[in-house]
Every structure is written in C-alpha cells, then in structure tokens.
Amino acid sequence: MEWCTYNRYVKTARKLKGMKHTIFLAKHSQSDEVLGMVEVGMTVRPPNGIVVPTMGVLCVDPDFQRCGIGTLLVHETEHLVQNVWNLTTSVTTTSIHVEIETDNPNSLAFFKSRGYAIEEDDENNVNVLEKGIIVEKKPCWVVTKPIQDISSEV
C-alpha cells in the first residue's frame, strides 16, 4: 500500500472515531490473500438529512467472483446493521442503502437479486475524489432494502 493511501485511511479513521463504520474483508483460507471487501457506515442522505446505514465499496477479486464471496459480505453487512447496530428501533432508519454507479448494471442485478430495489436515480450523486478534491460526479442508482426484510432471511 502506498504511504499516501495509508495516510488517507488513517485520516478517515480518525474522522469516523465514535461513529458506526465497518469494513469487512474476505480472505483466502490458505494464503490469507484478500479476496473481497465491503464497507458500511452511517451517512447523511440529502435532501432531508436523515442518517442511514449505507453500504459503500463492495468488491471481489475477478478470479473469485460468482463464488459467493459478495453474497457473504453483503449478508455480514446486513447482519451487522440488523443485529449489532440494532437500528430497527431507530425512527430515522428503516432501510439499508447502496449507491451503485449507473455504468455498473451487473452490480445492480446483484443487489436486486438480494431483495434491494431502486429508490432513486441521482444523476450527480457519487463523488469521485482525488486528494480530497471532488474531480468528478458520477450518476448512480440508490437501492434500498428495508431492515425488517433482513431479519426474515436469516
């Protein structure tokens, strides 16, 4: 990992101190190689400023896609939100959110097959950052799944 990337992660971790934020890693059982990861945290959704659990980066090594790793990572994330963070009693939180860039239809199909539905199309929702500066805004779909539906799957 590059030093500047490491420093960025450290700064982000310090900003998130005390907030709900988690990264799950899927590792190979023999080599300890990272095969996939997912990030989840509480984010503020415009325009009304509701704080919701939002799944961020979900990625799986291309050589290990379609082996259940992505599904496992999503399941662990949903379990965290439902049972550890215990957000079902929150007045402001009823769903888990995922932002998917519109140039990634495979990701949309993946989440739809797991019970997520498109809540909105947002043409300028995803910010692409470089050295902390927004260099591009990408269109995305916002898909959601009610937290109550998560508990019925387990």
Side-chain angles (χ1 to χ4, degrees):
M1 183 185 306
E2 289 182 31
W3 181 251
C4 64
T5 304
Y6 172 79
N7 284 339
R8 192 174 328 157
Y9 282 118
V10 169
K11 282 182 187 177
T12 301
R14 285 185 181 135
K15 284 183 202 174
L16 295 170
K17 187 174 181 180
M19 296 175 64
K20 290 180 169 86
H21 185 266
T22 300
I23 296 174
F24 287 109
L25 298 177
K27 291 182 165 186
H28 194 283
S29 60
Q30 296 170 350
S31 68
D32 223 22
E33 175 186 8
V34 174
L35 304 177
M37 66 160 286
V38 66
E39 168 214 12
V40 63
M42 299 300 289
T43 59
V44 178
R45 295 286 309 153
N48 50 10
I50 294 175
V51 178
V52 297
T54 303
M55 207 176 311
V57 177
L58 169 65
C59 56
V60 176
D61 183 317
D63 293 337
F64 292 91
Q65 291 178 354
R66 299 201 177 276
C67 295
I69 294 170
T71 299
L72 176 67
L73 289 167
V74 169
H75 177 74
E76 289 299 316
T77 300
E78 291 173 346
H79 175 79
L80 174 81
V81 169
Q82 174 77 31
N83 299 308
V84 179
W85 290 356
N86 196 22
L87 298 177
T88 54
T89 58
S90 172
V91 175
T92 60
T93 305
T94 58
S95 298
I96 187 166
H97 293 234
V98 183
E99 295 174 347
I100 302 170
E101 294 175 9
T102 56
D103 62 358
N104 192 350
N106 291 339
S107 184
L108 179 63
F110 172 84
F111 280 99
K112 281 181 143 184
S113 73
R114 282 146 189 84
Y116 288 77
I118 295 177
E119 179 182 275
E120 63 185 83
D121 291 331
D122 191 335
E123 293 183 8
N124 292 307
N125 201 29
V126 177
N127 293 325
V128 179
L129 300 176
E130 190 173 298
K131 295 184 180 179
I133 299 170
I134 297 173
V135 293
E136 180 182 359
K137 287 184 174 272
K138 289 189 144 189
C140 76
W141 295 294
V142 176
V143 296
T144 63
K145 182 176 185 179
I147 292 174
Q148 300 86 325
D149 290 355
I150 295 168
S151 61
S152 64
E153 292 177 1
V154 179

